[in-house]
Amino acid sequence: MSAIRAKAFRAIILGAPASGKGTISSRIVRDFKMKHLSGGDLLRSQISAKTDVGLLAKTFMDKGSLVPDDVMSTLIINELALIKQHSWLLDGFPRTLKQAEILHQQEHADVVISLDVPEEEIVQRVAGRWTHISSGRVYNTEFNPPKVPGVDDVTGEKLIQRDDDKPEAVRKRLQTYEANIKPILDYYNHHGVLKLFEGRFTNEIWPKVHEFLSEKIPPKSN
Ligand code: G5P
Ligand code: MG
């Protein structure tokens, strides 16, 4: 098929807090040959390891504010360098126009998937979210509960509720997203790589994302 390409593929997934970026990313990784890199997961692993970057990032994240552009961009660019031979999916980066510009100096996105989920749906979801910090796997008490409450299906380790899922921090995260997203979408629209996906539920959005990507990258054979 002519649309299937040999070169490494660069995809970005954007969307408001709890819009389903992580959930849809795990389905993309399951079905397509891509490495997943989430800015938020990366920061949480730095916090768990108590690195200087992690300690600094936590002061911003707990309030629902963005980690400074220079810190975040350096982290992401360094991680992308480690997987540059592979096709990758970048989740939750860039979050400012500045970050988009820094990324563009290193890598050009082939597609930018933007999730558009109604705000009232998002607020409901966050309360039920449980996360396995070291892998980034997410569950929801309503939508995809773990087999055993409070325990990760794969490792058997404890799940936690994120500090920034408290209502005040969620409100701030949503405001921050709204304040920053438009110039980023304009930027990628201008580059001809933006694709919007609207819907209330992941199971409604996912088939459309799958169809879109199937025309661009090879599916996994195993
Ligand atoms: P994160 O970690 O990137 P957010 O706020 O962008 O955090 P989040 O919260 O990780 O995004 P998500 O990945 O979009 O959400 O969504 P998800 O986890 O897949 O789904 C949310 C919940 O809904 C889960 O419980 C899931 O099971 C459930 N769910 C999914 N679909 C459905 C459905 O259809 N129905 C129902 N009922 N439930 C569903 O970033 C965190 C912080 O890190 C910093 C910032 O401080 C940020 O606030 N940060 C950055 N700072 C600067 N620059 C960057 N680029 C940064 N990246 C991160
Ligand atoms: Mg996420």
Side-chain angles (χ1 to χ4, degrees), residues 2-14:
S2 62
I4 301 289
R5 23 197 310 160
K7 99 174 186 34
F9 191 75
R10 274 53 179 123
I12 294 174
I13 185 163
L14 302 175

Side-chain angles (χ1 to χ4, degrees), residues 37-48:
L37 179 62
S38 150
D41 289 350
L42 189 57
L43 292 170
R44 283 183 287 278
S45 67
Q46 296 281 326
I47 292 172
S48 295

